[in-house]
Structure formats: structure tokens, C-alpha cells
Amino acid sequence: MEIVYLTFILMLAIFLGFELINKVPATLHTPLMSGANAISGITVVGAIASAGSGSGDAANILGAIAVALATINVVGGYWVTDRMLAMFKKKGS
Amino acid sequence: MEIVYLTFILMLAIFLGFELINKVPATLHTPLMSGANAISGITVVGAIASAGSGSGDAANILGAIAVALATINVVGGYWVTDRMLAMFKKKGS
Amino acid sequence: MTLDLALNMIYVVSAGLFIYGLKLLGSPATARRGNAISAVAMLIAIIVALLDQSVVDYRWIIGGVIIGTIIGGLAARLIAMTSMPEMVALFNGSGGTASLLVGWAALSTHNDTFSVVTIFLSILIGGVTCSGSLIAYLKLSEKMSGKPIIFSGQRIVNSILVLAILVCGVMLTIDPSNLNYLYAVIALSVLFGVMAVIPIGGADMPVVISLLNSYSGLAACAAGFAVNNNILIVAGSLVGASGMILTNIMCKAMNRSLVNVLFSGFGAVSTETTKVEGEIKPISVEDAFYILEAATNVVIVPGYGMAVAQAQHAVKELQLLLEKNDAEVNYGIHPVAGRMPGHMNVLLAEADVPYDQLIEMEEINPRMDSVDVAIVIGANDVVNPAAREVESSPIYGMPVINVDQARTVFVLKRSMASGFAGIENPLFYKDNTRMLFGDAKESISGLVREFG
Amino acid sequence: MTLDLALNMIYVVSAGLFIYGLKLLGSPATARRGNAISAVAMLIAIIVALLDQSVVDYRWIIGGVIIGTIIGGLAARLIAMTSMPEMVALFNGSGGTASLLVGWAALSTHNDTFSVVTIFLSILIGGVTCSGSLIAYLKLSEKMSGKPIIFSGQRIVNSILVLAILVCGVMLTIDPSNLNYLYAVIALSVLFGVMAVIPIGGADMPVVISLLNSYSGLAACAAGFAVNNNILIVAGSLVGASGMILTNIMCKAMNRSLVNVLFSGFGAVSTETTKVEGEIKPISVEDAFYILEAATNVVIVPGYGMAVAQAQHAVKELQLLLEKNDAEVNYGIHPVAGRMPGHMNVLLAEADVPYDQLIEMEEINPRMDSVDVAIVIGANDVVNPAAREVESSPIYGMPVINVDQARTVFVLKRSMASGFAGIENPLFYKDNTRMLFGDAKESISGLVREFG
Amino acid sequence: MQITIPKETHSGEDRVPIVPAVAKKLVHMGAKLMVESGMGLGCGYSDEDYSRVGAEITGDRQAALASADIVLRIRKPDITEVNQLKSGCIHISYLDPFNESELIAAFKQHGVTAISMEMIPRITRSQKMDALSSQASLAGYVAVLLAALRLPSIFPMMMTPAGTLKPAKVFIIGAGVAGLQAIATAKRLGAKVTAFDTRPVVAEQVHSLGAKFLEIDLGETGQTADGYAKELTPEQVQMQREAQKKFIADSDVVITTAQVFGRKPPVLVTKDMVEGMQHGSVIVDMAAETGGNVEGSVPNETVIVNGVNIIGQANLPNEVCRDASLMYSNNLFSLVEDNWDTEQKHFNLDLNDDVLTGCVITHKGEIVNTTIKNLKG
Amino acid sequence: MQITIPKETHSGEDRVPIVPAVAKKLVHMGAKLMVESGMGLGCGYSDEDYSRVGAEITGDRQAALASADIVLRIRKPDITEVNQLKSGCIHISYLDPFNESELIAAFKQHGVTAISMEMIPRITRSQKMDALSSQASLAGYVAVLLAALRLPSIFPMMMTPAGTLKPAKVFIIGAGVAGLQAIATAKRLGAKVTAFDTRPVVAEQVHSLGAKFLEIDLGETGQTADGYAKELTPEQVQMQREAQKKFIADSDVVITTAQVFGRKPPVLVTKDMVEGMQHGSVIVDMAAETGGNVEGSVPNETVIVNGVNIIGQANLPNEVCRDASLMYSNNLFSLVEDNWDTEQKHFNLDLNDDVLTGCVITHKGEIVNTTIKNLKG
Ligand SMILES: NC(=O)c1ccc[n+]([C@@H]2O[C@H](COP(=O)([O-])OP(=O)(O)OC[C@H]3O[C@@H](n4cnc5c(N)ncnc54)[C@H](OP(=O)(O)O)[C@@H]3O)[C@@H](O)[C@H]2O)c1
Ligand SMILES: NC(=O)c1ccc[n+]([C@@H]2O[C@H](COP(=O)([O-])OP(=O)(O)OC[C@H]3O[C@@H](n4cnc5c(N)ncnc54)[C@H](OP(=O)(O)O)[C@@H]3O)[C@@H](O)[C@H]2O)c1
Ligand SMILES: NC(=O)c1ccc[n+]([C@@H]2O[C@H](COP(=O)([O-])OP(=O)(O)OC[C@H]3O[C@@H](n4cnc5c(N)ncnc54)[C@H](O)[C@@H]3O)[C@@H](O)[C@H]2O)c1
Ligand SMILES: NC(=O)c1ccc[n+]([C@@H]2O[C@H](COP(=O)([O-])OP(=O)(O)OC[C@H]3O[C@@H](n4cnc5c(N)ncnc54)[C@H](O)[C@@H]3O)[C@@H](O)[C@H]2O)c1
């Protein structure tokens, strides 16, 4: 039955994604892309489980690498986005 | 864990409900209310389970009454909504 | 894949269709199709429910469906167009009642704490929806007086009621097998629905119905938690959330807050103090839009501020949009508006406003009380009711445009500053006045954009 | 409530914050706050993940986090503003790779069919994202030629590749323990990412990155299915869906279709046939808006149709909105536009268009190739390139406004009907021309509303 | 009460003090209306037009004046005619009280209550009686038409196959009632309009008509409570001239409306500025009659100096006499109506009334208006 | 080639055939420009203005004409002056070829190539040479100004404390080039404008200026290939008159521009219609010079019939002579430039050219224009 719930969640999230990004001004395309990209670093959550299994096997190491990579995505992504948006503000005011 | 999924679903559905009914013209308020009301007749699905349990006990009868009431809501709701909207069309064209 | 899994996947499809249908319902061009799609989704959901393994005996179901279809169908077909709102109230009531019954029925099979809590909620909300909708129906169809019913001590009674419901709810959760608590909850919920709606005036019933509609969605949602059914949760919460938003929008269009609607009856008793000067009520462009959107008779009163803001073209655009929205739009031109004779004429002619929509003060004033919204654009002295009301005012006796007699007045200006004559304007403090602060052109362009 | 339940409930909160953050990111005023909220959501999610019972050994995690934070932080801080897009590509690649690895790691513990399928998907999508993003980075930073790389037989190679991936996927599902299939899938996915991006030109890379970004969301979502984690599914699918929409919007702003972007490179090889007359490409108001929204230099060329539609006021409104959006707007006035000398002047003066924005034909023509969008409003003969190109044309030799030299041309008219001179207009068939059919005033009001 | 309306005698005056539509309202109010035969002809109103609405037509001007309780007219009367009025009669017209001391004396002597339309105070309530404003507004319109017809080129911009015609540049000095209307009219015709005024509040009003305002820093300037400009110091006038010089040379049309209430208007455009203008340019001096803003302007004539046309035509509202008469009639009517006792059907002269305090010059053999009295002292 | 530009001799003609800016372009093209002294004075252009751009100034008109390869002027020449031209000279001006058979004969006889500006065909390419259009457009503007100044009320609506002034009702008959410009100008000034024309395509053009079109069903009407109106049958003229009658009576201003190319204009406003109008109303008969659309109109005079002003002023573009000259100069220049051989620096007369086929009347002692030839036959 889990799969049912998951599918429900998937469907709702997709609908919501469509509704949210409705009419975004062109100037926001790049920051938005970058911001969304940072969110996709959520995979770090999955990686943590593997990396923290303590098993010390290949999966564990793969997990650790995944954590590192995903963290790059997360940290870099949010930071870059913020820098872009900060630049924006200045232009506006 | 089910409750987690259900909560997820609840949250997403509420967000979606908010996003969908964003800027509805005043003329559509009544039909929209009526249409949404018809959807709330979905409780018929819950009622069917009780009514079809075959147990013949109180719950079964309650279920049957619930089916009848919910059906009224569904059938009447969609129909009335459609009548309202049909009237609209004529006015528009 | 098991049958169960397959059926549940179909529920996902059905939920998707509900969402899509609701989206289409929000725009005039697609509303009818949206309703149809939502009906298909409902049909699918019902069929899936019928195929469920736990359903073994179809007799009761068929009986219920047939009875429901006949009653619902007849009601929908035979009802006059004008009494649709009360019909919707009745349908809504039956939906709420159904949720109550589903919860009730579920109690016999589900009695872990979580389930009982959700069952309690579905009964409570269902009960309130049931009786509340009934009262709304009675008020709307004038089978009952539309006036707010108020008695002293009403608040106390209501408080006690809420308390009692909570107590019974807790007891029920602790001991789900004691049916007395169940019956008490049912009875109290129904009573509470009655108490909640009687103090509200008949004119506000559409908002109440919308609110109850949202509740019935929540009731279905609670029932869904109780019987562990996704489609109930999704569809129910969709209706709950969108109904809430819709209620809010409807309140805005009436220029009221939801709290104000729900407790206006009580207010009628308490505020017997003499009215002081009133307060300034700013309004946002968005809220102003909702009110304009619902108006059918609009008068625009331009003044010097429109000239300063050079807003005439935007005003014309707004006029066209309002007219497209089936409102009648006129301009009330005061002879001394602006800073030179014919100032407004020059500007409005530039924006190509037809001459016959420019109405002289003497002509527009008698019609003012049938006006839904008067939009005062950068005018001040020429709409100052002090000229009529305040004998000591330096402009006492000057004829002005009586915008304050319109149902709602929007005043578009940048601040509370006074106009040419340098005097205070009591208009800004009136109950039916809303100040839309900002440069007139910006504000109007904002309204124009909202109409998009 | 168990700890697990509590943690999962916090995931719900985190997901809600992601949604809210993404919503705020869509509007300039709130974008920065939105990004911050989304970052908070991420932090919450990570903390919850760390608290999970299955996490017993924090050393690897801490190592990974530290390394990742240092690299990511340095990259984000040190990078020049101008090279942000390629940085985003790199970040995106690392996200994709992480998903690939998560899938890979999950394979050791999950090997029921459903899990393996989702693992396969997460590896495939993650791999494509990984290498695709890398190529995009190389192209953008000009470490690699921005030109499309095309060789004969490319299609065949790609087809074989896809087939091979599918076969290996199926084999992996059947026998998850055979790691050779796994390695094959990984290798082929990475290769496929390279093959998919090399034939696309450097100028189209932003769209590609956006698309890959959407993929990396989907990869996370697939990984979520694989390791059975809700927050991954919700956040991943949010990113997937919104990324897809964003990609689409970006394509529209470039007046291209996604298919056209992805396969333009291939097209360059195949269409060597002589160009025929071309075809009519209608455009919707919405799509036209996206293009205008991205334009910084717009020329409006009005003609008799603007007069017929009495669209001058709407045109002025559009001009103001474009200017607010930081575009430079000019009017190109042809001396015989309309039906009397000075026809356009009369109308535009009525709408209060400043005289110095009215540019004579001789002056506007030399600047035309730096114009992003030329909006032809109900003009026909005066923009007919046949006057330049077709010697046999009755208007050959008449000077016209060379709108066809602008990057994009919108022609607003009601039909394909000819103008005063009664001759065909080859402009309508040009590659860079889009026909916005309908009454000019309606079309422009539509655009104005889109800007809201 | 008998209201007498004599025919205007000033040559070239086509306006009439009361149009038939307003005559009807006066009759309706209960007044006995005595109209001199031919009074309305300037605007094409015949005697029948008046008799039809209930007025009495008389050929005997002298008798009609002698028996009048109220006299309504446009221009100031001959002194001889004042002598014919009976004591207690209320005489309402333009009077030019700052300059016509003899006339005022005659009124005083005969116990006539003289109301000067120039002196209607500019408070909100009396705007409907303000003839200076109503006529100035029309004058502004006419001034632009005169200039447009004189100018050898057109006002609007025109991009045509036979070349692009540039819009005319119009410069308006003094943006009071007349000036604002001139701005509006010139803008309508498509000219590029710039204006200047010494009162700083006016800049916003000029912008509100979509025209440009020429910024000149003259230091302290200001306006009276009634909104009239204060007189400039000689240095300020000099500064203004300097600043405007280049601008005027560049203009196709200059319209001057600068007045200082009760004083001679300032000379703002000097001979050398006129000569700096292009051949064929046009100057309209709306203050020509009272002394002129333009050096060399001649009242009621158009002189050509160095190819530049200087129009000094006075009484511009007369060019649109029908509307001018309608507005003036309404001004008079509002004044009478505001003070009319509907019971007694007579004019109720309450000197404590703000408006009357301002505009009644003589009453019961006294000069009651403080401004005018001080002038004399 | 020598281009001679004699001074216009027609009294009251201020326009000049070539303004200095255009003279410069001609000189630049390689022509030898011979300008009669004083030629530009009507518009305020001195001889120096021309000599500065490279033209030769001469006091000897006769010699300048005799030696000319090309003569550019506005009005048709005296026959005596045609006799002075040398054979092969190209003479470009208005010629009125439908009526001036003697003049044409003189051209023919002297072997002069006469080009008639009226006969420039109305094809897209020749719009820049189309002097009828350029001048008609200005005439439409002037006509409205004349009417506005004549009318005793103002054009725009004004809601003022002294009453509301209604907008003037303007009716324009014939919405060709002049009519459309008149519509635009009257609309600008704020009038309520209605127009009528027999050509059905015009309704849309009138609407495109925001004015109303009076719908009259006349049955079959139409236009020529050049866009000129076809002549109506007498019955149709009668129908039109009937339908317009009430409308005219209700109008404050009527402007008639109805022409039928090469024919006498139709009489559309008869005496009784004029008399039906209100006192003070204004009619501008733009066709007065060629016969008139209005019964009782007198060329170059303003007559008052029953209180209604009928303006018959001819040569309206002359009122804005500077712009009119500029446009006419550009028209002439475009015509010359289009046929100029830049190598040889001379006028290349190619009678197969569409434009020249239409407007060259005589060439090498022959009447080459078919329309005019047929007229004679
Ligand atoms: N018509 C005439 O001939 C004439 C001549 C002279 C004087 N007057 C006098 O002028 C007055 C005319 O009355 P009125 O109601 O038209 O004007 P008003 O009383 O002067 O009020 C104008 C209002 O517009 C607002 N405003 C100014 N700029 C604005 C902008 N950009 N956006 C929005 N609001 C703006 C101002 O408030 P904020 O500053 O708060 O925005 C001000 O209160 C009368 O008192 C009349 O007697 C008339
Ligand atoms: N300026 C002058 O003095 C003058 C005088 C006479 C003739 N002309 C001639 O007129 C022409 C002027 O060229 P132009 O480009 O301005 O006009 P045009 O070539 O006549 O084309 C006008 C176009 O506008 C479109 N249109 C009409 N109504 C419309 C509406 N409501 N909404 C949108 N489109 C509408 C028509 O197409 P659809 O029907 O498909 O919508 C038509 O193709 C030239 O050939 C010129 O020679 C000029
Ligand atoms: N009660 C009312 O509400 C009311 C009624 C009518 C007029 N007014 C106000 O009174 C003001 C003046 O009215 P008016 O037009 O009769 O004034 P006016 O005829 O006396 O003067 C005309 C204009 O010339 C200006 N001026 C004077 N000296 C000048 C100089 N040296 N250079 C440039 N300009 C100079 C004045 O400032 C004025 O604007 C108007 O602005 C109007 O707003 C108010
Ligand atoms: N090549 C070109 O593109 C070009 C150039 C100039 C003009 N034109 C067209 O030619 C048309 C006519 O030009 P014009 O103004 O020189 O014409 P015109 O001066 O010959 O006539 C003026 C107008 O009077 C109208 N008219 C004739 N008889 C009438 C009657 N009985 N009642 C009412 N109206 C009557 C005509 O239809 C015309 O519109 C214009 O519409 C214009 O569009 C085309």
C-alpha cells in the first residue's frame, strides 16, 4: 500500500510544482533554476542513510561520496542563488 | 507510518487547494462553491464500505443512509452546478 | 499487482481529475468542462469503491444510491434558478450528514485512539454542517426570518456548548464503546450548528454556505482518516482548502472580514455606543479588485489628483474592463474639479471617454444610492460631505458629489493631505469608505492588472 | 508517538517549507526570502535524516558533509558573477551524481523488483544528469567549443545506446546481484548524457541546464522511491515538475520549442534542401508575452489596423509596461502608414506618446538589427519586404520599415488579408515572424494583462 | 423687483449679459425682467427669444434704467447712465474699480449699490459667480486658435510622404485660468507646450495637463489669499526675462497671460526678445488691453515686428460670444440667486456675507469695499 | 541642367515652390539652381537663404525662364511666360489641365514638356510626389481652425461652475485626404465629429479616427482605380441631400470637401439646408473655388446667410504657408530626384514610367497624356 501513498504524493507534488511556477518574470529564470537545483540536493537525505549505516562496505563508501556531492549541490546551490538575488535587490533599489 | 503519508497528502492537497482557487471572478463564486460542494460528496466512497459490509447491523444501516445522503449531494450538486454554468454560457454568447 | 493496489492507483487518477476539474472550474470559459471532469472523477471513485473486496453486499448500497439519485436529481432539475443557493445549502447539509454517519458507522470497527479522534472530528464537523446548512436553507428560502436571532447570554450558552462537546469528545476517546457519549456528541454538534448560524443575517448566508461547504470537505477528510481512505482525504482537503479561500474571497468582495460576517449578529447587540468620528480603513489593490469585480454600477469621480498623476488613460482602461465585466460605468464630473474650468473634460477627452458617460453633478447625485462603488480618483474638496453636513465648514453650502451615499467608496490618493481648500474631509472616515493610498496612476494600473 | 513518527512529521513540515519557498522564489520581491526558507527546509530535512535510527555511524557522514560544504562554499563564493550559469551546471551535476550513488548504494539492501526498477531509474537519470551537466559546464565556460558536435550516424549510435540501456536495465531487474549489469547501466547512462548534450549549441545551454535540473529532481525522486523516503519524493518531484515548466517557459522566451532546442543540432545536418516560401507561424498571446518579457529593445510599428482597432491607448499602456520592464521602446512611423498624412501621429498624440519616441523610417531602419522584437500593429504594406526584394512587385522601390531585420517580429492582424495595396506580404512567412491573430486592441490588451 | 438688462453699447461687444435660458430662470424666480430691445442680437438672440420666456421688451432704455431695482450688464456703464439710476438700485457689471474712481464716485453719489464682477472673491462658494475665471478660460482657448491660424505652420507633428512636419513649440507665460486653458488647447492641437509662472504651486498644475514647466529660480515669489500672483521686484522681472530669452527665441508661439490683480501687468517680452524670434512666429499678448506683457503690442491690433506677429486683440471671449454669454449669464444668475429671498422675491443685500463683502463697492452712498476705500485714501 | 524657380505672381500666394532646405538638396544633386530674387519672401525666406545653399539669385525673370531646362513653380503660368520657355524645357507645376486647354496648347506649341502636379497618379510609389494630398491635408487642418474661430462657441465640452458647455457638433462631408485631416483636427479640439462620404470604404477610415460615420444608403457608388469618387447620378445626389438635411440642421459646423476628380463638384448643401441651421453656425466650403459644394458660397469670401457663416476661402494651405511650402518642395524634389540621372546630372524623361505616363501632359509638341487627349477629342 505504501506505493499508493507515494504515488498520491508524487501526483500532488507535480501538480503543485506546475501551479507554483506559473508566470515567472524572465529575470528570475536563472535564480529560480538555481534555487530549484539546490532543492534537488535533497538527495543528501537519502545518502545520509547509506553513509551512516556503519557497515563499512562499498555501499557505505558510496553513501559518503554521495553525501559529499549532494552537500556541494546544497551548499553551493543556495549560496549562489542568494548571491544572484542579492545583486538583483541592489539593481531594484 | 500510514499517518505520515496521510499527513503529507493532506498538506499537499491543502497547498494545492489554495493555489487553484487563486483569482476567481465573482460570477463564478456560486458555481464554484456548488461544484466544490459536489466534490465533498466523496464521502459516499466511505459510506459504500459500511453499507456494503453485509453485516446487517446498525453500522450497515447507517452506511446505507449515508450512501443515500451522499448520493443526493453528489447527484444534486453536479447537476445544479451544470445548470448554473449552462445559463452562463447563454449569457456570454 | 494486487486488485487492491490497482484500485488504489485508480484513486490516484480520480484525485488527479478532481484537481484538474477544480482548476478548470475557476475560469468562465472552462468551468462547465471542469464540472464534468470532476463528475467523472467522482464516478470513477464510486466504481472503485464498489469493486473493493470488503464490499460483499450490494443491496443496501444500491438502495441508497437509487434513493439518493432520485432525490438529488429531482431536486436539481425542478428547482427554480433563483433558489439555487438554498438548494446548494441542502445538498451540502446532506453531504455533511453523510460524513457524520460514516464516522458513526466506522466507530464499530475502528477504535484505536487515532481513529476515534478522527471519527469524533468527522461527527462534529458533519453535525455542524448538517444543522448549519439546514438553518441557512431556512433563512435563504425565507421559511425562517432572515434577521439575526440574538438573545442575551448567547455567548455564554455557546461557550458552554463548546465545552460540553469537548468533554464528551474526550470521554468518547477514552471509552469508545460507551455509545452515550457518541449520541451526546452528535446531539451537541447538531445543536452547535444551529447556534452558530442563527445569529447571522440572511444576506450573509452565501458566505456561510461557502464556509459550511468547506467544513463538509473537512468532514469528508476526517472521515477519510477514520476509514483510512486516501481519496476521501485528498478530495476532502481540496474542498476544505479551496472552500476556505473562496469564503475569504467572497468576504472580500463584500468588503467584510470573515470574523465580521460570523459575529456581526453579536456585534449588533453590543455596539450601541454612539459612533465616534470613525477610523481610516486602508484597502489593498487586491481587495479593492474583489469588490470592483462584484460591482455592477460604478461611478468614477476624478479630481485634481487624477490630473497630477496623469492617470486618465489608465482610468479609461479600467472603465473598459469594468464594462467588459458587465458593470455600468459613469463619470461624475464636478464643475470645479481640477484647477481650471473643464480640466477633467480635457483629460478625459484625451483618453477618449465618450461624452455621454460624463455626468454632471446635479444628475449623478440622485442616482448615487444605487451605485455599488464610487471610485474617487484624486478628488478631495469636490466630494467633501462637510459641505453638506458641517455648517461651520468654509465650504458649507457648496454642492458636492455625494459619493458617500454609494454602497462603497474608494478614495485614491497618496496621503491624508487635504486638497485645494485646505480642509479636513470627513468622507475618509466614513464606514463605507476605503482609502487606496498611492499615486492614482499606480493604483489604477494595479487594479487593471488584477483584472487580467 | 514513536521517534520515527515524529521525525517523519517533521519531514512534512520541511516539505511544506520547500513548497512555500519555491512559491516565494517566483516573484522578484520575495525571491531572496524564498531561497532562505527553502534552505531552512533543507537544514531541517538533513537534521531529521541524521536523527534517524538507522544512522549509527556519523564519521563518514561528517567527512562527506565537511568536504561538500568546503567545496560547495568555496565554489559559490569565489565564482565570478558572470560564470554563475556554469557553476549551477556543476552543482547540478554533483546532485545528479549523488542520486546515482544513492541508488547504487541502495541496491545492496533493496532488491525486490519495484525497488530495483526505481534504483535503475535513479541511476539512469542521475548518470545522464552527471555527464550532461559536465558537458554543459564545459561548453558554457568555453573549455569546449560551443558549436554543436555532430557526426554522421549519430542517430544510429544514440538509438543503439538507448536500446543497450534498456536491455541492461531489464537484466539488472531480473538479476540484481549481477553487478556487471549495474556497471553497464552506470557507464551507458553517463555516455548517454554526453551524447545527448554535445549536439546542442552553447547558446542553448541555459535551457539544457534547466532541463537537467529537472532531471536531477526526478533522480532524487526515484532515489526516494528506492530508499522509501517521502521527503525525497516530494522535494524531488517538486523540482522535477517546476523545472520542467521553467524549461518550457525559457524555451518560449527564446521563441523555440523544447524539441527544437534538443534536436536543433541534428537539424543542422539534415535540412540542406533549399528553403521554400516558409510557413505561417501563429503565436498565442501568452507565448508572445514570454518573448516580450525577455526583450530589451522593442520597436512598435503601427499601421492602419491600429487605427481601425482604436488600439492606441492600449499600445501606450503596453509601452509603459515594457519600459517598466527595462526595455527600450520606440515607435517606427512610416510616412504613409494609415490612410491620411500623419494618421499615426494623430492617434499616438491622443494616447500621449512622447514625440521623441516617434522615429522616422530613415532613422529606425539602420537600428533595426539590434531590435529584439518588432511589434507590427495592423500595418501591412509599410512593412512589406517585397518592396525591397521582389522586383516584380507593384510597390518595388517604395521604402518600407525593415522589421524583418529585427530578431523577432510579431504581426498583429486579424487574418492573412492584404492591405491597401492588395498584395501578398512575404514578411508573414519569414522564419522570425510570428502572427498574433485577432483584433489588434484585443491582442494588445491581452499582452497588457499578461504583464500583470 | 425689476431687473433691467440694457443692450451693451461698447462697439465690438457681441456678448450679452443674460441669455434667454437664464432669463427664463430669473423670471421663474419671480423677478420682473425688462430687456432692452435688440439686447441679444450680438449672439443672435431675438427679442422674441426673450419675450417667449416671460421678459418684457422695451425700446425705452432710459425709462427701463430709471425704474430698475437691479441692472445687469457686462461692461461698466457710462457715467451719464449712472445718473439715471434710482437710489437703492443694485448695479452689477464689470467696473474696473481700481481705475474708475469717477465712476465709483457717481455710484456713491446716487446711492446706487454697485457690485463689481471683478471683485468676486475667490472662495470656493463663489466660484460659480466668478466671471473673471469663466471669461479667462474662454480667452485662453481663443488665444490659441488665433495663434494657430496666424502661424505659417501647423501645431501637430505630421510624418508624411512629403516630409516630417515638426510640432510647433508653444510657450505660455502665466499659467492662471487663461494660461491653463491655453495650455490644454495647444496640447490638444498637438503642440509641444511649455509654460512658466511665478507662483510655484502652478508647476504641478501645468504638469497635470501634460505640459512642461520652465524652471526659473526667482527667489521668493508668492500668491495672495485669493490666488493672485504677487508683484515681482524689478530684479526678479529682470531675472525672469533673462531666463526666458533663449526659450522664447526657440518658440513658434508665445502666449502671455501674466496679470497682477489691480496693477499694471509686467512687461515680460522685450523688443529684443521679439526680434530674436523666427520669422513668422506669433505672440499673443492677452494683457495688451491693460498695458501689455509684450513690448510693442498694440491693443486690438496685430502688429508685425521683424516678421514676428504680435496679436494684441482684446476681449478674446467675444470670439466665442455665445458660450461667453452663457457663462457670464450663469455667473450673474448665481450671484442674484444666492442672495434672493424666495419669499419676498427680492434681492437680499447682506453685507456680512463673505462674497458680498468682497464685491460690493458702494452702498447707500458709501464706499464699503475696504480695498477700494484704501486705494482712495 | 538649369532649374529655374520664378517668384509666384498670383496675389495672396505666400507659398514658395522650393524652400531653402530643399534647394540645397537640388544643388547637391548637381543642378544649377536659378532663383528669382524675392521668390521666398512669402514665407520669410530671404535671397541670402537661397544663395547660402548654392543657388544663383537673379533679378531677370525673363532671362531665367528663357534659359531654364526645368521650371519649378506652384501655380500654372501665364501663357505669355510659356512663350518665353525654350523648346525641350520641362515645366512642373499645377496646370488644371482639364480646364486650361489654351495653356496646354501653348505648351504643345512651344515643345515644352509640361508636367501637371494634379495628375501624379495615386500609386504607392508616387505618394511622396502627390502634392494634391500634401496640400489637401493641410487644408483640412486650416478649415477646422477657420471654423472654430468663426463659431460663437467653443469646440470642446467644458463642465464648469458657470455651467456646462456642450461640445460642438461638426459634420464633415467628403472624407478624402482633406476631410480626414479635418476630422482628426476637430476631434482633437474636442468636437463631436460625424462624417459622410459616398465611397463605402471610407466608413472604416472615419471610425479609425474615432469619429462617427453617417450611414446613408445611396445604392451603387464607387471609386476609381486612383481612389477618387465616381460622380453620383442626380437621383443619388437628391437622396444624399435629403438624408443629410436633418443632420446639417443639427450641426454647428459643416465642412464640405467633396470633389469629383476632373469634374465640377456636386452641390450638397442647398440654400434651404443652410437656412435650417442655427444662427451663428459655420459652413466651410472647401470646394468653393472650383464651383462649390454649398449653394451660395462665394470663393474667397465669407458670406452670412440668415446668420449662418459660409466660408468660401480658397487656397487654405496658404494659411500655413511654411509647412505647405516645405511639403510642396518635397513633392517636387521627389519627382525630380526619382527621374534624375546621377551620372549625367540631368532629368531623364522616361515616358514608360508609370508615374510620368500619368502626369506628363505635353512632350515634344504632342499631348501625350491619354486622359487629356481624350478630353479634347
Ligand atoms: N476647477 C477650477 O476651475 C478650479 C480653479 C482653481 C481652484 N479650484 C479648486 O480646486 C479644488 C478642486 O477639487 P478636487 O477635488 O479636484 O481637488 P483637491 O481638493 O485639490 O484634491 C486633490 C487631491 O488629489 C490628491 N492627489 C494629488 N496628486 C495625486 C496623485 N498623483 N495620485 C493620487 N492622488 C493625488 C491629493 O491628495 P494627496 O496629496 O493625499 O495625494 C489631493 O487631496 C476645489 O477646491 C476648487 O475650488 C478649482
Ligand atoms: N497615409 C496616407 O496618406 C495614405 C492615404 C491613402 C492610402 N494609403 C495607403 O495605405 C497603406 C498604409 O499601410 P498600412 O501598413 O498602414 O496599412 P495596410 O497596408 O492597409 O494594412 C492594414 C492592415 O491592418 C489590418 N487590420 C485592419 N483592422 C485591424 C484590426 N482591427 N486589428 C488588427 N489588424 C487590423 C489588416 O489586416 P487584417 O484584415 O488581416 O486584420 C490590414 O492588413 C499604404 O498602402 C498606403 O499607400 C496611405
Ligand atoms: N476660488 C477659487 O478656487 C479660484 C477661482 C479662480 C481662480 N483661482 C486661482 O487663482 C489663480 C490666478 O487666477 P487668474 O488666472 O485669474 O490670475 P491672473 O489673471 O491675475 O494672472 C494670470 C497668471 O499670470 C501669472 N503671473 C503674474 N505675474 C507673472 C510673471 N511675472 N511671470 C509669469 N507669470 C506671472 C499669475 O501667477 C497668474 O497665474 C489661478 O491659479 C486659480 O487657480 C482660484
Ligand atoms: N496612392 C495612394 O495611396 C493615395 C494617395 C492619396 C489619396 N488616396 C486616396 O484617394 C482618396 C480620395 O482622395 P482625395 O481626398 O484627394 O479626393 P477628392 O479631393 O477628389 O474628394 C474628396 C472626398 O469627397 C468625396 N466625395 C465625392 N462626392 C461626394 C458626395 N456626393 N458626397 C460626399 N462625399 C463625396 C470623395 O469620395 C473624397 O473622399 C482618399 O481616400 C485617399 O485614400 C490614395
Side-chain angles (χ1 to χ4, degrees), chain D residues 10-91:
Chain D
I10 299 180
Y11 273 149
V12 176
V13 173
S14 154
L17 289 177
F18 275 130
I19 293 171
Y20 189 55
L22 204 54
K23 185 178 164 65
L24 294 188
L25 258 176
S27 137
T30 55
R32 207 169 171 195
R33 193 148 52 87
N35 192 47
I37 289 177
S38 153
V40 169
M42 181 63 78
L43 191 67
I44 294 175
I46 292 176
I47 292 173
V48 170
L50 291 175
L51 296 179
D52 195 281
Q53 288 142 328
S54 68
V55 176
V56 293
D57 177 1
Y58 284 91
R59 288 169 304 169
W60 289 104
I61 299 179
I62 293 175
V65 168
I66 290 179
I67 293 174
T69 306
I70 292 174
I71 297 179
L74 283 181
R77 258 205 69 186
L78 301 181
I79 199 73
M81 220 56 206
T82 46
S83 20
M84 294 252 167
E86 49 256 46
M87 208 66 244
V88 173
L90 273 189
F91 292 152

Side-chain angles (χ1 to χ4, degrees), chain C residues 333-336 340-343 345-346 349 352 355-356 358-360, chain F residues 155-164 167 187 189-192 210:
Chain C
I333 309 293
H334 192 285
V336 304
M340 67 165 204
H343 203 162
N345 295 110
V346 171
D352 225 12
Y355 280 147
D356 40 2
L358 308 186
I359 315 286
E360 293 178 63
Chain F
F155 267 31
M157 184 191 217
M158 245 193 230
M159 290 162 143
T160 79
T164 293
K187 274 278 303 174
L189 271 175
K192 261 187 155 161

Side-chain angles (χ1 to χ4, degrees), chain C residues 150 155 263-273:
Chain C
I150 294 151
R155 281 175 189 221
F263 299 113
S264 59
F266 296 113
V269 179
S270 54
T271 53
E272 283 299 304
T273 54

